[in-house]
């Protein structure tokens, strides 16, 4: 396997799960160990306890959830970021209909989908959109050969609100124990950096 990831940082379990993946890498069965949905604190918990930091952290990234501190921490620790939910935010519906996204798309003669895909690429995030429709695949791929102007990037990078961050925090604490025995009596929410 090219990439294997721990999907959620389940309290008291994720470090051991990560170490098991490191053993698989050492045995040559996987090439890269990665994580998904990790906060700064989850990544710091790995530091000093594992042999290497993850190659990738797959997190929700879109203009409505642009967590600058988390992004900076990953970049400083050479953890590549893979964006999911680029076109929508779990707490708000679609980002593609946000007036700023629509305005930038109209000004540049692009679709909101292309604006968001290009936004990811220009921010240095891996962007892997999914579609089964040929026309949408072509639309998703048409994000190269042009750039978003600096002012558009700044506008898109500044759309995250406090309610967006709070919705993320609630979802994070729900999901780290989902489908585990911890769901019956979840641990107290601990301090996490949501930005």
């Amino acid at each position: 396997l090219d990439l294997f990831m721990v999907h959620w940082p389940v309290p008291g379990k994720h470090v051991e799960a990560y170490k098991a993946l490191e053993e698989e890498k050492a045995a040559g069965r996987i090439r890269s160990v990665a994580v998904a949905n990790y906060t700064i604190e989850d990544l710091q918990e790995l530091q000093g306890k594992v042999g290497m930091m993850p190659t990738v952290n797959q997190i929700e990234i879109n203009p409505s959830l642009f967590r600058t501190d988390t992004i900076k921490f990953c970049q400083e620790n050479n953890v590549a970021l893979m964006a999911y939910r680029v076109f929508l935010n779990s707490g708000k519906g679609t980002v593609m209909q946000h007036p700023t996204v629509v305005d930038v798309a109209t000004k540049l003669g692009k679709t909101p989908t292309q604006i968001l895909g290009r936004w990811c690429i220009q921010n240095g995030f891996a962007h892997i959109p999914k579609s089964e429709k040929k026309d949408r695949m072509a639309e998703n791929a048409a994000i190269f050969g042009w750039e978003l102007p600096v002012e558009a990037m700044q506008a898109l990078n500044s759309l995250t609100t406090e309610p967006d961050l709070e919705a993320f925090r609630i979802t994070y604490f729900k999901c780290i124990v989902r489908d585990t025995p911890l769901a019956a009596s979840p641990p107290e929410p601990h301090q996490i950096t949501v930005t």
Side-chain angles (χ1 to χ4, degrees):
L1 294 173
D2 184 54
L3 182 79
F4 204 108
M5 64 176 58
V6 178
H7 188 235
W8 280 100
V10 175
K13 307 279 185 194
H14 76 99
V15 174
E16 292 308 311
Y18 190 91
K19 287 179 180 179
L21 294 181
E22 284 187 313
E23 291 173 13
E24 295 300 309
K25 182 180 182 337
R29 290 187 276 274
I30 60 177
R31 289 185 186 158
S32 297
V33 179
V35 295
N37 305 298
Y38 273 50
T39 64
I40 292 172
E41 291 76 13
D42 299 319
L43 291 166
Q44 287 173 330
E45 190 175 350
L46 291 178
Q47 288 178 322
K49 295 179 182 175
V50 299
M52 63 184 171
M53 288 294 280
T55 56
V56 172
N57 186 10
Q58 182 186 57
I59 62 174
E60 179 177 347
I61 304 175
N62 58 59
S64 290
L65 193 58
F66 189 62
R67 296 165 40 214
T68 55
D69 292 337
T70 301
I71 291 164
K72 181 181 177 189
F73 182 87
C74 287
Q75 291 168 338
E76 289 173 348
N77 287 278
N78 297 313
V79 178
L81 287 161
M82 180 184 295
Y84 74 84
R85 285 196 184 127
V86 174
F87 304 138
L88 63 110
N89 175 288
S90 60
K92 289 185 70 170
T94 181
V95 176
M96 293 189 296
Q97 296 170 347
H98 191 285
T100 301
V101 175
V102 172
D103 182 55
V104 171
T106 302
K107 285 178 181 173
L108 296 178
K110 303 292 182 186
T111 67
T113 299
Q114 291 166 331
I115 295 303
L116 294 169
R118 184 68 213 170
W119 174 82
C120 276
I121 298 302
Q122 278 184 234
N123 273 313
F125 312 136
H127 170 58
I128 307 174
K130 176 204 168 285
S131 183
E132 297 174 359
K133 298 183 178 185
K134 190 175 181 178
D135 59 328
R136 286 193 182 157
M137 288 180 200
E139 179 183 5
N140 289 336
I143 60 173
F144 300 101
W146 59 278
E147 289 192 0
L148 290 167
V150 171
E151 16 346 301
M153 288 295 291
Q154 290 171 341
L156 294 168
N157 287 353
S158 65
L159 296 181
T160 303
T161 65
E162 286 301 319
D164 295 329
L165 296 172
E166 180 60 15
F168 160 75
R169 190 187 71 73
I170 290 166
T171 300
Y172 169 85
F173 283 113
K174 179 180 82 174
C175 291
I176 60 173
V177 296
R178 181 181 58 200
D179 301 328
T180 74
L182 295 173
S185 56
E188 287 295 316
H190 52 281
Q191 182 65 35
I192 61 167
T193 303
V194 294
T195 58

